[in-house]
């Protein structure tokens, strides 16, 4: 079982093949309903087999290709601990499964790429944010969305204040011998000033490691810790998207990842809503200027050319067709045909790969009630 992250999405988006199989289904968290989940997956495998055969795969070969997924049906522990939804991706020599906290509508797609649009709300719709849990005994860093929290290691960062002071001791000794800056360092005693100096050094090392990891990222960062630590960390912070005004108060060592994620979400949710509303207002302001479109053909091709800066795309609906990258030809079909892919999915992934922003929303939330709407860079 794999953890769904943006890095995983990138891996999925880079897969290519004649038969990339994507399966989405709702599940129940309770293990008591495992039988229903097994039956549902078995039925979806029949749909996948039919699509493979319709695409030219021999009946026997189609069954063999699906064996890696079919084996999951008989693995009891796999079904005992589910989320609200299950996504399975299979290609030649490649298998990924994701249990996620969001129910999917049943869907099977066999194409030359994986179908990824149902995953986007988990990673992009509500945005990504971070939680930095600070205490003198421990530092933890979490990559979060509204639905998930993943702890990420900070390379080269001391794990606690004691380690930070020990790592800093050789530098202090050098300063003592050279007479450079020795006045602010005290090996023993020093009271409140010395404690603040040690915390400042500790937090400065954390800030450095954080920026090495995040680089040019601009996702919000929420601090968690006892109140007196916040102003000390903010003095040394160099990450531009730190939430300055608010943090999660209390000892974070006693709080689980899910608790920290939920409390941080309450702080960043208004920020994401404003971002969504601002983008919607931008689309409406530019409508009719030539810098917007809700035509699937126009938007899909523009996304491939790197022209789409902002995209609203409907989840739970598909526009089947094909886009030829070599000659730019596009075919749209009312119903799925072998070799088709969802061009809404295509446009969303191309937009993300070219640095654009995507809001994967319900169809009613797409401007003008269409399946997609885009703002162009030029």
């Amino acid at each position: 079982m794999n953890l769904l992250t943006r890095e995983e999405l990138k891996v999925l988006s880079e897969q290519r093949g004649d038969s990339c199989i994507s399966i989405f289904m709702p599940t129940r968290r309770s293990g008591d309903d495992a039988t229903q989940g097994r039956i549902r997956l078995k039925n979806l495998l029949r749909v996948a087999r039919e699509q493979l055969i319709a695409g030219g795969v021999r009946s026997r070969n189609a069954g063999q290709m699906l064996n890696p997924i079919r084996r999951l049906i008989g693995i009891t522990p796999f079904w005992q601990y589910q989320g609200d939804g299950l996504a399975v991706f299979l290609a030649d020599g490649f298998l990924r499964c994701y249990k996620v906290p969001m129910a999917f509508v049943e869907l099977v797609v066999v194409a030359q790429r994986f179908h990824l649009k149902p995953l986007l709300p988990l990673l992009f719709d509500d945005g990504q944010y971070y939680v930095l849990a600070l205490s003198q005994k421990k530092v933890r860093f979490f990559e979060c969305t509204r639905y998930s929290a993943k702890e990420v290691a900070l390379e080269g960062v001391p794990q606690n204040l004691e380690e930070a002071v020990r790592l800093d001791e050789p530098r202090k000794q050098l300063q003592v011998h050279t007479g450079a800056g020795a006045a602010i360092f005290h090996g023993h005693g020093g009271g409140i000033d010395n404690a603040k100096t040690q915390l400042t050094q500790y937090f400065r090392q954390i800030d450095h490691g954080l920026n090495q990891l995040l680089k040019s990222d601009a996702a919000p960062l929420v601090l968690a810790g006892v109140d007196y630590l916040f102003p000390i960390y903010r003095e040394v912070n160099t990450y531009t998207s730190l939430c300055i005004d608010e943090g999660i108060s209390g000892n974070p060592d006693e709080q689980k990842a899910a608790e920290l994620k939920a409390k941080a979400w309450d702080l960043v949710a208004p920020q994401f809503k404003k971002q969504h509303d601002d983008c919607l207002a931008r689309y409406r302001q530019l409508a009719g200027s030539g810098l917007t479109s809700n035509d699937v053909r126009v938007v899909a091709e523009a996304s491939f050319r790197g022209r789409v800066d902002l995209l609203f795309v409907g989840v739970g609906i598909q526009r089947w067709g094909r886009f030829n990258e070599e000659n730019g030809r596009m075919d749209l079909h009312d119903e799925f045909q072998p070799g088709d892919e969802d061009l809404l999915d295509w446009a969303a992934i191309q937009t993300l790969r070219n640095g654009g922003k995507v809001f994967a929303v319900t169809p009613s939330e797409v401007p003008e009630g269409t399946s997609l709407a885009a703002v162009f860079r030029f």
Side-chain angles (χ1 to χ4, degrees):
M1 187 59 58
N2 301 90
L3 180 65
L4 181 61
T5 64
R6 291 190 182 188
E7 289 75 17
E8 280 288 296
L9 185 74
K10 184 175 185 295
V11 170
L12 292 171
S13 71
E14 291 172 348
Q15 291 296 313
R16 298 288 187 274
D18 291 332
S19 301
C20 290
I21 301 161
S22 308
I23 297 177
F24 300 90
M25 57 177 274
T27 53
R28 298 281 184 88
R29 290 179 178 271
S30 171
D32 297 337
D33 201 39
T35 300
Q36 182 178 341
R38 287 169 162 151
I39 294 173
R40 192 186 297 270
L41 181 58
K42 188 180 297 185
N43 292 336
L44 292 175
L45 285 177
R46 292 195 187 99
V47 176
R49 183 173 178 273
E50 291 170 1
Q51 290 191 22
L52 286 168
I53 294 172
V57 178
R58 292 184 177 180
S59 177
R60 181 179 178 181
N61 292 342
Q64 292 176 342
M65 289 173 63
L66 294 170
N67 279 339
I69 301 178
R70 189 172 290 108
R71 295 188 189 103
L72 298 175
I73 296 173
I75 301 176
T76 298
F78 178 84
W79 297 101
Q80 288 178 333
Y81 303 99
Q82 288 288 332
D84 297 312
L86 175 66
V88 183
F89 300 93
L90 176 67
D92 185 20
F94 183 96
L95 176 65
R96 289 285 199 279
C97 301
Y98 304 94
K99 299 175 182 179
V100 301
M102 185 177 75
F104 295 123
V105 175
E106 285 189 5
L107 180 66
V108 177
V109 179
V110 178
Q112 295 182 350
R113 301 174 180 80
F114 288 132
H115 183 81
L116 301 175
K117 183 154 55 75
L119 301 178
L120 299 187
L122 291 161
L123 299 173
F124 295 96
D125 185 22
D126 288 320
Q128 185 171 353
Y129 60 99
Y130 303 114
V131 176
L132 180 62
L134 298 169
S135 77
Q136 296 189 32
K137 295 181 180 179
K138 188 187 301 183
V139 56
R140 293 183 293 163
F141 178 71
F142 299 94
E143 179 183 292
C144 303
T145 71
R146 183 178 184 178
Y147 306 95
S148 64
K150 173 191 175 186
E151 185 165 1
V152 178
L154 295 175
E155 299 293 337
V157 170
Q159 295 304 299
N160 50 56
L161 178 60
E162 181 180 354
E163 183 181 336
V165 172
R166 187 170 65 250
L167 291 172
D168 194 50
E169 194 63 35
R171 187 175 68 85
K172 291 194 293 184
Q173 292 298 325
L174 177 63
Q175 290 176 331
V176 168
H177 291 302
T178 61
I184 67 167
F185 295 110
H186 308 279
H188 301 282
I192 295 175
D193 290 341
N194 184 59
K196 181 178 179 182
T197 296
Q198 291 180 340
L199 284 169
T200 299
Q201 292 299 104
Y202 175 36
F203 290 165
R204 186 169 284 118
Q205 293 174 64
I206 293 172
D207 175 71
H208 177 74
L210 196 64
N211 279 279
Q212 289 292 106
L213 174 67
L214 300 181
K215 295 182 171 51
S216 59
D217 203 325
L221 171 65
V222 177
L223 295 180
V226 294
D227 289 344
Y228 77 88
L229 296 179
F230 292 165
I232 300 174
Y233 187 87
R234 286 166 180 152
E235 283 183 12
V236 302
N237 170 69
T238 58
Y239 182 68
T240 56
S241 296
L242 175 68
C243 296
I244 298 294
D245 297 329
E246 297 179 288
I248 303 171
S249 182
N251 184 357
D253 297 348
E254 301 174 355
Q255 301 183 61
K256 296 180 180 179
E259 297 176 86
L260 295 170
K261 171 190 73 69
K263 291 178 180 179
W265 169 252
D266 290 339
L267 299 178
V268 300
Q271 182 175 335
F272 286 128
K273 184 179 186 306
K274 182 179 184 304
Q275 185 181 69
H276 177 276
D277 292 346
D278 289 346
C279 289
L280 187 58
R282 182 183 170 206
Y283 176 87
R284 289 170 175 164
Q285 181 181 15
L286 292 174
S289 68
L291 288 175
T292 66
S293 178
N294 55 23
D295 185 302
V296 174
R297 291 179 180 273
V298 173
V299 174
E301 181 174 1
S303 68
F304 176 67
R305 309 295 179 193
R307 293 182 54 217
V308 177
D309 188 47
L310 170 63
L311 179 68
F312 293 89
V313 63
V315 176
I317 57 174
Q318 294 82 38
R319 293 295 305 275
W320 301 113
R322 305 172 198 173
F323 180 78
N324 188 315
E325 296 182 13
E326 295 182 359
N327 59 25
R329 177 179 174 179
M330 186 177 303
D331 296 315
L332 282 173
H333 303 133
D334 293 333
E335 301 290 337
F336 175 83
Q337 297 184 15
D340 278 359
E341 60 183 312
D342 177 17
L343 293 175
L344 306 181
D345 182 86
W346 157 264
I349 298 304
Q350 292 299 316
T351 297
L352 290 172
R353 293 181 68 179
N354 287 308
K357 184 169 184 59
V358 173
F359 288 99
V361 296
T362 62
S364 63
E365 295 177 284
V366 178
E368 302 181 45
T370 56
S371 57
L372 86 176
V375 173
F376 302 137
R377 293 188 172 110
F378 53 89

